[in-house]
Amino acid sequence: MNQMENKKNLLIKKRLVLYAGLCINAFIKLNFLNQFNVNTESRNIEIIDGSLPHYEYHCLTYEPKQEYYDIPIYDEAFQEHIFEISDKYGFAYDILFTIGHVESDGTWATNGVISPTNDYGLFQINITNHKQIYQVLGFTSDDLQYDPYKNAEAAAYLIKTFFDLYDYDITNFNYKNIFGTYNGYINWEEKEQSLEYVDYSMKILEEKYSKIERLERTKK
């Protein structure tokens, strides 16, 4: 019997010690809360001398998406190049995409090609422009024939000269005039071939490159 009573008394003592500890802990929290710094993975909270807490939030970073056109052969890296050089030379990138499409008849497969009229590479840059392009950009005729990145930049440079010629800027320009000048220079309206070129270019621009018909993928 004495043994049972001893166990009972020991259990009561343990409970009393536990209750006392809980009371002391609660007392400390209530009376000394302003001395604690509370840290979590999502924010840092500092309470100093009873003042209002200061929050420092750690937000998740958001990776923006870039839209890409669904065109054959060329991957996102090449399309990024077109976006970048369009920005560099100060005009809308749908101009370059449309011209690339028209010059290749939608195949984007004219890299390495020289036409019967001496037009070179992806954007079919005429031989008459090669000297000026070499003087300004340092691109040779071989570069223009075989390197689509350099060929695209050379085309962008030519388009920039047209913008300067007509005193255009990125917010004020005429698509038809740019397309026509690319094909037949400043007197393009007098040439039947250039008129047809402009009509086709405007059709392609409207159907494929001025609408949101692009692939959405996470930007690399």
Side-chain angles (χ1 to χ4, degrees):
M1 190 69 168
N2 289 335
Q3 186 175 3
M4 291 286 294
E5 288 181 357
N6 289 337
K7 288 183 178 180
K8 184 176 181 180
N9 290 335
L10 182 60
L11 181 60
I12 291 172
K13 287 181 180 178
K14 287 182 178 180
R15 287 178 176 175
L16 290 173
V17 170
L18 178 60
Y19 292 150
L22 290 173
C23 290
I24 292 171
N25 187 49
F27 176 80
I28 291 173
K29 285 184 177 181
L30 288 172
N31 290 277
F32 300 99
L33 183 62
N34 63 331
Q35 296 182 12
F36 287 95
N37 289 331
V38 181
N39 296 307
T40 68
E41 290 183 358
S42 62
R43 62 184 181 181
N44 296 328
I45 305 174
E46 295 182 359
I47 302 177
I48 304 172
D49 298 328
S51 60
L52 292 174
H54 301 280
Y55 297 90
E56 180 184 344
Y57 289 97
H58 300 280
C59 300
L60 293 174
T61 58
Y62 171 73
E63 188 176 4
K65 287 185 176 181
Q66 173 67 60
E67 293 176 331
Y68 296 92
Y69 289 108
D70 187 10
I71 60 176
I73 300 179
Y74 294 100
D75 59 12
E76 294 169 9
F78 180 76
Q79 294 197 44
E80 286 288 349
H81 178 65
I82 291 185
F83 294 137
E84 290 170 3
I85 59 177
S86 298
D87 287 340
K88 174 181 176 180
Y89 289 100
F91 58 82
Y93 55 77
D94 54 7
I95 294 174
L96 264 181
F97 279 104
T98 300
I99 290 175
H101 183 109
V102 172
E103 292 292 341
S104 67
D105 199 23
T107 67
W108 291 85
T110 43
N111 187 51
V113 172
I114 302 176
S115 76
T117 53
N118 281 319
D119 303 309
Y120 280 58
L122 184 61
F123 284 81
Q124 291 289 278
I125 298 174
N126 191 265
I127 190 77
T128 58
N129 297 303
H130 288 202
K131 182 178 180 181
Q132 180 182 1
I133 289 169
Y134 178 75
Q135 290 173 341
V136 176
L137 300 177
F139 300 163
T140 65
S141 293
D142 281 347
D143 290 334
L144 297 178
Q145 182 178 354
Y146 296 109
D147 189 329
Y149 286 80
K150 291 182 178 179
N151 188 284
E153 180 161 3
Y157 164 73
L158 292 177
I159 293 167
K160 169 61 175 171
T161 65
F162 305 155
F163 267 67
D164 293 341
L165 178 66
Y166 297 118
D167 198 25
Y168 289 160
D169 60 44
I170 196 168
T171 62
N172 178 31
F173 64 94
N174 184 296
Y175 279 104
K176 289 185 177 182
N177 215 15
I178 294 299
F179 295 147
T181 305
Y182 192 89
N183 180 260
Y185 204 51
I186 56 175
N187 59 336
W188 66 269
E189 291 179 288
E190 301 170 10
K191 302 174 182 178
E192 185 65 27
Q193 179 183 339
S194 295
L195 292 171
E196 293 175 358
Y197 182 96
V198 169
D199 286 344
Y200 181 53
S201 297
M202 293 302 295
K203 181 174 181 256
I204 294 302
L205 173 68
E206 174 61 25
E207 290 180 352
K208 186 169 180 66
Y209 297 108
S210 66
K211 295 181 180 179
I212 306 303
E213 296 178 352
R214 309 169 211 171
L215 302 179
E216 288 191 0
R217 306 174 187 149
T218 302
K219 190 173 182 180
K220 302 294 184 182

